[in-house]
Amino acid sequence: MEVDSKVGAYLQTQQREAPAELTHFFTEFEDLYERKIWHQLTKLVETFINIPEAAPFRIGIYNEFVRDWQKYMNKVKLVLFALAAARQFDSISAAAEFMEKIAKEVDQPESQEAHALALLESAHFRLLLNDLDSTRDTLEKCQRMVESFATVDPVIYASFYRVCADYYKAKAAFGQYYKNALLLLACIDIQELSHEDRVQRAYDLSIAALLSDTIYNFGDLLSHPIIDALKGTEHEWMVALLLAFNAGDIGKFESLTGSLHAQPLLVQQEAFLQQKIRLMALIESMFKRQGTGARTIPFSAVSAETKMPVGEIEHLVMKALSLGLIRGGIDQVGQQITVQWVQPRYLGKDQIKNLVDRLMQWEGRVNETAQQMSQTTPELFA
């Protein structure tokens, strides 16, 4: 057939002109194509396009080869091959239009997952063009589609959460970015990301955790392997800053202000960060007292631990109560706080040691009480 001869001519040309380390791929492409072993051919093309050295061939492979037998392949794979080609375009606008065209091609009842994936990737390119309204509309449409699927390929979830995270980053919606970026990491193997991408994602997550007015528990990030990407980089101080916030360590936070001032976004929000570290110090103070029997704490003690004037403690506690960080009440006349519950925490080594010490103290009190009871009412222990 004429199409076959064009495919054959393309593959043979690439066998002659491609770098030596890639030549065997084109030979195998030709063999599998002639034998119509479509599944193996799809897997081999997938392997090929993921090789960095193959980047210059991705557009040609898609246009001159893949499109000829696309009806035989999984349509999600087809969209991924098209996406690999689109990423090589010189124009972002052209890439967006190309993926929108692909989305229309796979908009069939049996390939709605592929349709959603193509729409999401077109939205990614639209976002790069700062078209936030179009991106938002596509995300809302795709969310409805994904929620209607009985099963979803992880690559669809990964694409959805990645585009959502990038959209919320552009909107400076720190809490939503944090949520979607962590969901993205749950869908992928982070080792498949480049070192630069891991560092950038960890850095962005750190910024979001610090600046969000809804995040006061840093456990999800501090316990995730992605945070290790910052170690040994110019951003390693961010890990120390996160640990300082997690522990409510105002002294450590103040010692890092020099590094903090190197990040304009953090400088702009320094007043908010000052309030947040004091809220974390308040939580840590309440947490340390849990299990000790000291449920009522005077304003003066809180003032000393949060480094705030006594006159501002009531407002700080009201803020913590409104955010659901603690539960309890304020005695304005007695100038004291009664705490019934503290938000669960991610514990560092020092905090775990403190918890162990408290458990040992509790064990000692239980044993002491049991001993006193055995002495005063021996008949109960006979």
Side-chain angles (χ1 to χ4, degrees), residues 246-247 284 287-290 292 345-362:
N246 187 66
E284 181 67 14
F287 181 78
K288 287 178 179 177
R289 287 177 168 83
Q290 278 194 322
T292 65
R345 320 281 313 284
Y346 169 84
L347 302 181
K349 291 181 180 179
D350 291 340
Q351 292 164 306
I352 292 174
K353 182 179 181 301
N354 178 266
L355 181 60
V356 170
D357 291 341
R358 284 164 44 199
L359 287 171
M360 293 178 67
Q361 292 171 9
W362 175 79

Side-chain angles (χ1 to χ4, degrees), residues 80-348:
L80 291 175
F81 296 165
L83 176 61
R87 287 173 174 164
Q88 302 304 310
F89 287 12
D90 294 330
S91 165
I92 296 175
S93 178
E97 293 173 2
F98 178 72
M99 291 310 300
E100 287 164 0
K101 176 184 175 183
I102 298 299
K104 291 178 181 178
E105 290 182 8
V106 296
D107 187 10
Q108 302 296 329
E110 69 278 7
S111 57
Q112 284 301 290
E113 276 195 351
H115 179 54
L117 179 59
L119 286 174
L120 286 166
E121 295 303 338
S122 69
H124 163 73
F125 289 116
R126 289 295 177 193
L127 184 58
L128 294 178
L129 294 169
N130 204 35
D131 188 348
L132 298 180
D133 291 341
S134 173
T135 302
R136 182 200 61 228
D137 293 344
T138 301
L139 286 172
E140 290 175 352
K141 177 180 179 179
C142 289
Q143 182 174 10
R144 292 191 296 270
M145 293 175 66
V146 169
E147 289 173 350
S148 71
F149 296 153
T151 59
V152 182
D153 190 313
V155 74
I156 312 294
Y157 275 131
S159 179
F160 176 74
Y161 292 131
R162 174 170 48 80
V163 179
C164 279
D166 290 346
Y167 170 76
Y168 288 119
K169 178 181 177 180
K171 296 280 288 183
F174 302 112
Q176 288 287 359
Y177 170 83
Y178 185 83
K179 172 187 174 182
N180 284 278
L182 284 177
L183 287 169
L184 165 64
L185 295 179
C187 297
I188 62 175
D189 179 356
I190 65 171
Q191 295 306 316
E192 294 180 359
L193 298 175
S194 68
H195 174 69
E196 292 75 15
D197 286 344
R198 291 198 300 274
V199 171
Q200 187 64 54
R201 187 64 71 182
Y203 182 74
D204 289 342
L205 275 164
S206 300
I207 293 290
L210 292 168
L211 295 184
S212 171
D213 59 1
T214 60
I215 298 170
Y216 290 86
N217 188 330
F218 303 92
D220 288 336
L221 179 55
L222 287 171
S223 62
H224 198 287
I226 193 69
I227 200 68
D228 293 334
L230 295 178
K231 296 177 180 177
T233 72
E234 61 180 321
H235 304 306
E236 187 169 6
W237 61 273
M238 291 291 294
V239 181
L241 186 60
L242 285 169
L243 289 170
F245 269 84
N246 187 66
D249 190 336
I250 296 174
K252 184 65 174 177
F253 166 74
E254 291 175 344
S255 73
L256 290 167
T257 53
S259 297
L260 184 149
H261 288 158
Q263 168 50 255
L265 196 56
L266 295 181
V267 173
Q268 293 171 16
Q269 299 293 328
E270 188 167 1
F272 169 77
L273 291 174
Q274 291 283 356
Q275 181 190 64
K276 188 166 184 173
I277 189 65
R278 280 159 176 79
L279 281 168
M280 297 306 298
L282 173 65
I283 298 170
E284 181 67 14
S285 174
M286 303 299 104
F287 181 78
K288 287 178 179 177
R289 287 177 168 83
Q290 278 194 322
T292 65
R295 290 181 175 271
T296 302
I297 306 105
F299 281 11
S300 58
V302 177
S303 172
E305 296 188 26
T306 60
K307 299 184 179 181
M308 292 183 68
V310 173
E312 297 179 17
I313 296 303
E314 182 178 349
H315 179 267
L316 182 71
V317 174
M318 289 177 64
K319 182 72 174 179
L321 289 167
S322 68
L323 290 169
L325 304 179
I326 60 174
R327 295 174 191 160
I330 302 173
D331 180 352
Q332 294 175 311
V333 176
Q335 293 281 285
Q336 59 187 13
I337 309 159
T338 301
V339 180
Q340 300 167 342
W341 176 88
V342 180
Q343 181 190 69
R345 320 281 313 284
Y346 169 84
L347 302 181

